[in-house]
Amino acid sequence: MLIGRDADVVGCHTGTLTLDHSEIRAHNGVSVHARPNTSVTLRDSVILHGRALFSGSNGLIERCRFTDATDNAVAVIKGAHVSVQGSWIGGSMIHGVRVSGARAQVTGCELTGTGKAAIMADSQAELTVTGCAINSVHAEGIAFIEQSKGSVDATRVTDAQHGIAVVSGADPVVRGCAFIECRDTGINVHTSGCGRFEDCEVFDTGNIAVFSTKGAAPEVHGCRISRGNVGIAVTDAGRGRFTRVEMEDLTSVALRVYDEARAVFEQVRVERCQSAVETRGNSGTTADITDSVFRDFGMSAVEVLGQSRVTLKGVAAERGMMGFGVGEDAQLFVHDCDVTAVSKCGAFGLGKARLVARNLTVSGSEAIGLYGQDSAYLDVANSEFVDCAAAGVSFNDASGGRLVDCSVNGTQGVAVQDNGRVDLVSLRTSLPIVKQIVKPVERPPTIVNNYDGPVFNAEVHGAQLAWNNNKVIQQQTDEDGSST
């Protein structure tokens, strides 16, 4: 047992040092300090309160226990290279393991109760994390910042503020990890962070499962997101490519793209979420969605608002209230898509929005297949509307557009409710086409004001006025007070 205060308890200034089955207690100091060009091994030991500091040195930590460090439990800095294996780290005031401008491998460790990120890589560090368990931490489970790189494999993070954070140019590869019950986000990439995330799971997240924002550009492949609030959110000029992602049982939207963000989604499956896709922002806000399926959505499958632009290719929406919708000044492009069994509408345009659809099929709508309202423009070709209870196509208000080589089939309802602003070209249907009576726009009445007297549009001083008089008498007062 080695006990010290206000200084290094164990210091290695040169050569090689091994501590086996030791207990080291440092009060307001460093437990073990490996200085440049040295090599220190800690094995089967207990370190209380202080930290193990490796500065420009080599190190190996095996089956050790670090408790209640007043700083970082293990610090690897200034070009050091350290391997931490099979160890337990708990209660650190700052980080469990911090790697700064150095290299480290953390394998088979358990970290809990840290004040900040349990494992931190900064200043272009290289960090490898494998088979670790991280739980009940106040900040991030794992954080890569400041152009740090490395990998995280088969690691589980539970009850952290953020499961993993990637910031300021960092670019790790994360495979086969689970982020469970994170209080804010599971995967958080921001401020020009990158990273590749493969075959990960994010469950029961308090806010957003996968978050890309402020110029971030992650790639997410083969991940599963379940329960929680929002699935994937790309905002504030963030970017991202998301492939083979499965999402289910979210209380809010599965895919959100806001405010100049750009996202690509491929082979995405969404089930039992309130909404599948939601976009909002200026014309720089875009989302491309390909070969995806949205099932059992509470509200809408796709909702495009603001001036954002969304392209759907090979997307199927099944069982929900509304299918593909666009509103305000936004644009929605639909290619080879299907909408089945919706209760309100298969595809719709509102406001001043533009909807362009090719090879769209809407079947089994309990109300309307295609719907236009306000002054929206709907350009639909080579599409089919089948068994829509009320109407296959309905244009209302000042909405307009065209239907080219489309068909409306079924046994009830009408084919088209035409407000006179839609061009019907080669429409195939056995159902009636209803011409709506468009009321002329009533102009406001013209108001003419007749004034029997003078009209003043500004302040007037020293004026003499008379009207409706047959005789006018003018008097002038001279300087001596006499009147003329």
Side-chain angles (χ1 to χ4, degrees):
M1 182 181 292
L2 304 171
I3 301 174
R5 183 180 297 275
D6 300 325
D8 297 348
V9 178
V10 176
C12 183
H13 292 261
T14 186
T16 299
L17 172 66
T18 297
L19 291 172
D20 237 328
H21 292 85
S22 301
E23 183 174 322
I24 307 168
R25 298 186 181 184
H27 301 277
N28 299 323
V30 177
S31 297
V32 178
H33 191 171
R35 298 183 182 275
N37 302 315
T38 65
S39 180
V40 173
T41 297
L42 297 176
R43 187 178 291 116
D44 298 307
S45 296
V46 176
I47 292 88
L48 299 176
H49 308 306
R51 71 184 188 274
L53 175 59
F54 296 83
S55 177
S57 56
N58 292 326
L60 173 62
I61 300 174
E62 291 183 313
R63 299 181 301 278
C64 291
R65 187 178 183 89
F66 295 81
T67 303
D68 298 336
T70 56
D71 199 298
N72 305 303
V74 178
V76 185
I77 66 174
K78 296 181 180 179
H81 184 192
V82 175
S83 177
V84 185
Q85 303 173 9
S87 297
W88 184 92
I89 300 172
S92 303
M93 288 292 292
I94 304 181
H95 306 296
V97 177
R98 180 194 176 194
V99 187
S100 180
R103 292 182 296 157
Q105 295 82 39
V106 183
T107 306
C109 295
E110 181 179 351
L111 301 96
T112 184
T114 59
K116 293 187 178 180
I119 302 176
M120 164 67 81
D122 63 68
S123 300
Q124 299 178 325
E126 296 182 20
L127 169 66
T128 300
V129 180
T130 307
C132 292
I134 300 170
N135 60 81
S136 302
V137 296
H138 294 284
E140 300 87 356
I142 303 169
F144 285 82
I145 71 174
E146 298 169 354
Q147 297 181 310
S148 295
K149 298 183 178 181
S151 64
V152 182
D153 291 274
T155 293
R156 184 183 183 93
V157 178
T158 306
D159 188 23
Q161 185 73 6
H162 310 284
I164 183 170
V166 181
V167 187
S168 55
D171 190 15
V173 177
V174 182
R175 308 184 195 90
C177 295
F179 305 97
I180 314 298
E181 297 177 355
C182 297
R183 298 184 296 277
D184 191 359
T185 63
I187 298 172
N188 190 318
V189 188
H190 65 92
T191 319
S192 303
C194 296
R196 183 180 178 90
F197 301 84
E198 301 176 353
D199 303 317
C200 294
E201 296 179 338
V202 186
F203 296 158
D204 293 304
T205 305
N207 188 10
I208 301 172
V210 180
F211 191 30
S212 172
T213 188
K214 297 181 180 178
E219 293 189 9
V220 179
H221 303 277
C223 290
R224 183 185 174 197
I225 298 169
S226 181
R227 303 184 297 275
N229 186 36
V230 175
I232 297 173
V234 187
T235 69
D236 291 331
R239 293 171 290 152
R241 180 177 291 273
F242 307 88
T243 306
R244 295 184 295 106
V245 179
E246 297 182 359
M247 286 168 279
E248 60 187 19
D249 299 316
L250 300 171
T251 59
S252 186
V253 63
L255 309 176
R256 173 178 289 168
V257 183
Y258 278 7
D259 303 328
E260 296 188 6
R262 296 174 178 267
V264 176
F265 302 98
E266 299 172 331
Q267 301 175 39
V268 173
R269 180 177 62 82
V270 177
E271 296 190 2
R272 299 182 301 278
C273 298
Q274 189 69 6
S275 298
V277 179
E278 179 183 271
T279 70
R280 186 190 302 272
N282 62 19
S283 58
T285 307
T286 65
D288 295 328
I289 305 172
T290 306
D291 297 332
S292 298
V293 178
F294 308 137
R295 295 191 181 99
D296 300 310
F297 40 92
M299 291 294 292
S300 58
V302 176
E303 183 178 297
V304 186
L305 296 174
Q307 296 177 325
S308 60
R309 296 174 293 140
V310 173
T311 300
L312 308 177
K313 294 183 179 180
V315 175
E318 303 173 5
R319 299 186 297 275
M321 183 179 292
M322 297 178 287
F324 309 140
V326 57
E328 298 178 353
D329 294 300
Q331 299 182 68
L332 174 60
F333 304 92
V334 179
H335 303 272
D336 305 306
C337 295
D338 299 289
V339 180
T340 306
V342 291
S343 61
K344 296 293 185 182
C345 184
F348 60 93
L350 309 174
K352 299 179 182 178
R354 180 175 175 230
L355 170 64
V356 178
R358 301 292 183 265
N359 298 318
L360 168 67
T361 300
V362 178
S363 58
S365 171
E366 296 179 17
I368 300 173
L370 176 69
Y371 181 75
Q373 185 175 303
D374 303 320
S375 57
Y377 186 85
L378 282 60
D379 182 354
V380 182
N382 304 113
S383 298
E384 185 177 9
F385 304 93
V386 182
D387 294 328
C388 300
V393 180
S394 178
F395 284 81
N396 296 273
D397 301 329
S399 64
R402 63 179 194 144
L403 296 177
V404 180
D405 292 326
C406 293
S407 64
V408 181
N409 300 307
T411 58
Q412 58 182 331
V414 301
V416 179
Q417 291 182 344
D418 183 2
N419 64 352
R421 297 174 180 271
V422 56
D423 295 329
L424 304 178
V425 181
S426 302
L427 177 67
R428 301 179 299 277
T429 185
S430 59
L431 297 174
I433 297 174
V434 177
K435 294 283 188 179
Q436 300 181 29
I437 299 176
V438 181
K439 296 182 180 180
V441 178
E442 295 184 2
R443 296 182 178 180
T446 302
I447 299 175
V448 179
N449 296 313
N450 295 309
Y451 298 99
D452 186 14
V455 177
F456 299 97
N457 295 313
E459 293 184 2
V460 177
H461 300 278
Q464 295 182 7
L465 304 171
W467 64 90
N468 293 331
N469 294 321
N470 295 323
K471 184 178 181 181
V472 178
I473 299 174
Q474 290 184 309
Q475 290 183 340
Q476 179 177 344
T477 301
D478 298 330
E479 293 182 358
D480 59 1
S482 61
S483 299
T484 58

